[in-house]
Every structure is written in C-alpha cells, then in structure tokens.
Amino acid sequence: MATAQLTASSISVSARSLSSFEGLRASNVKFASFKPAGGFALSRRPLRCLVVQAATVVAPKYTSIKPLGDRVLVKIKTVEEKSEGGILLPSSAQTKPQAGEVVAVGEGKSIGKTKLDISVKTGAKVVYSKYAGTEVEFDGSSHLILKEDDIVGILETDDIKDLKPLNDRVFIKVAEAEEKTAGGLLLTEASKEKPSIGTVIVVGPGPLDEEGKRQALSASPGNTVLYSKYAGNDFKGTDGANYIALRASDVMAILS
C-alpha cells in the first residue's frame, strides 16, 4: 500500500494581515514539497480556505462610535465563565450573550412624513436577537451595532420574566414538556418533545403602520397560544421556568 509523508516544514501559509474583519476572505495555503511514496506524484496547486474573524476591531485612535439611522450601539454583557455551582465553563459551553447596555443611539427613522425617534434610551438594559447586528471590539469591550427592530425588549430588573417587549414582540411562559407518552411511559430529557404552547405574559405596543401609528397585537396577556416551534429567543427564568420572546407573526393560534 502506498504511503505518504508530510512534514511541518513543507507547508507555507501566505502572511496577509488579519488585523481587521472583512467578512469571509480567502487565503492561500501552499504545499511546497509533498512527497508520497509509491512512485506517483501530486499537483502543487494552492488550496483555498476561508479566514473568519468574529468582530471588527476599532483602533484606539477612534474615541467614539455614533450609530446612524435606527441603529443602536449596545455594550455586550460579559459571558458567564462559571456555572451556578462555581464550575469553570470552557468557551464552547459558555452561553452566547443576548443582553447588554445601550451606550449610543441613532437619530431615528422616517415613515412617510413622520419622524420617529429611537424608542430605547442610553443606559437601558436590553435583550436582543441572538444572531443580530455586527460585533465590534471598541475601548477594550465587545459591542454590537444593530437595528432597533432587533431589540427584543427592555430588562427593568435582572429577572427575564420582567422583560418589557418592544414593537411586535410577544413574551410567553412556555408550558412544561410532557413527562410521559400517551401510553404512560416515562420520557427522558433527551426524548421530550420541545413545547410550542405557552401562556402570554406580556405583549409589545405593536408594529408601526405607514402613518407611524401603533397597530394592536391580536394576542393578549393570559392567552394560551400555539407558536412556531423554532421561532424566537429562549430564556430561563430565576424561577426555573422557561420563557420565549418571539414576533407576533410567529404565534399561530389561540387555544381555549
């Protein structure tokens, strides 16, 4: 059987600067001398790979960031490095933050002839969509520039169940998963069906119409609702209950 030997010294990687984020960027990886045994030869064509950086680094010479339009600058809450029991968590097990403090806001947006200011103020503690916005490293801390519409709600206390949803968001207490099958068999945690039913705790003021007026949402606090299974942002309350914040359009039906 033919064998191949590859030494570390035979690999060279192009030394382009990686100091700033430019989306997905290709770099060349060249195998300078790959010599397999067995009498056959391989091409020395360069391979292509992708280099991804998590955040744009703002140089120290810039002392402020001013968001434009309906964008908001949020200082990201520090990731928890320990579990509640004090166990250090590896980076792969640390929960991606979904909360932070508003440090700057844009001038707002216009709908028709109506000028609308940003509804959140500097200093507000907010929860935002998990994959929203652009992350930037600024003044030694992680920040996020995102659209106002990507903000799920305002945190008035440290408990997620006190979330005040914005715009068309609905905040729901998730029903507990079934412990048994229809035949009476106990279910393990892994086999429990993810619930898509819950009770509405509070709703946002509604989306804006073309005249800049709020439209009331069809779901109301106290309603038991059926919602899309994979929609929204999931949270764990200090009471041990599960909560979810999602858009009103993801609520499919009211149960009675």
Side-chain angles (χ1 to χ4, degrees), residues 197-256:
I197 294 175
T199 302
V200 176
I201 303 299
V202 63
V203 301
L208 294 166
D209 62 19
E210 294 180 354
E211 297 179 353
K213 297 179 180 179
R214 295 284 181 183
Q215 297 177 306
L217 301 181
S218 54
S220 302
N223 288 157
T224 300
V225 295
L226 177 68
Y227 55 85
S228 299
K229 184 175 290 187
Y230 301 106
N233 294 61
D234 299 302
F235 304 98
K236 192 82 167 180
T238 57
D239 57 358
N242 293 312
Y243 296 87
I244 188 169
L246 40 72
R247 293 188 183 275
S249 58
D250 290 318
V251 177
M252 301 186 292
I254 296 175
L255 306 178
S256 61

Side-chain angles (χ1 to χ4, degrees), residues 10 63 70 74 82 132 177 201 246:
S10 66
T63 58
D70 60 344
V74 174
K82 291 184 179 181
I201 303 299
L246 40 72

Side-chain angles (χ1 to χ4, degrees), residues 8 30 34 42 104 118 133 136 138 144 158 228 253 256:
K30 296 182 179 180
F34 184 62
L42 296 180
I118 301 290
V136 295
F138 172 68
L144 200 66
D158 290 333
S228 299
S256 61

Side-chain angles (χ1 to χ4, degrees), residues 119-171:
S119 59
V120 293
K121 306 301 181 184
T122 301
K125 305 295 191 298
V126 297
V127 173
Y128 49 83
S129 298
K130 184 178 291 187
Y131 301 108
T134 299
E135 189 172 341
V136 295
E137 290 291 334
F138 172 68
D139 195 26
S141 301
S142 295
H143 292 72
L144 200 66
I145 299 178
L146 41 72
K147 292 269 192 177
E148 181 190 14
D149 189 54
D150 289 322
I151 296 177
V152 173
I154 297 173
L155 274 176
E156 298 184 331
T157 71
D158 290 333
D159 196 341
I160 190 64
K161 65 183 175 60
D162 296 323
L163 179 74
K164 178 183 176 182
L166 297 180
N167 300 318
D168 62 342
R169 295 313 202 288
V170 179
F171 190 56

Side-chain angles (χ1 to χ4, degrees), residues 63-105:
T63 58
S64 66
I65 298 177
K66 171 62 178 174
L68 298 180
D70 60 344
R71 290 177 175 83
V72 176
L73 178 66
V74 174
K75 184 177 181 180
I76 300 174
K77 181 181 178 181
T78 305
V79 177
E80 294 292 338
E81 296 184 352
K82 291 184 179 181
S83 68
E84 292 182 0
I87 299 174
L88 284 172
L89 296 171
S91 58
S92 58
Q94 293 171 7
T95 304
K96 180 180 174 65
Q98 299 179 54
E101 179 182 349
V102 175
V103 294
V105 300

Side-chain angles (χ1 to χ4, degrees), residues 110-122:
S110 296
I111 297 180
K113 296 181 179 180
T114 305
K115 180 71 167 61
L116 299 173
D117 294 330
I118 301 290
S119 59
V120 293
K121 306 301 181 184
T122 301

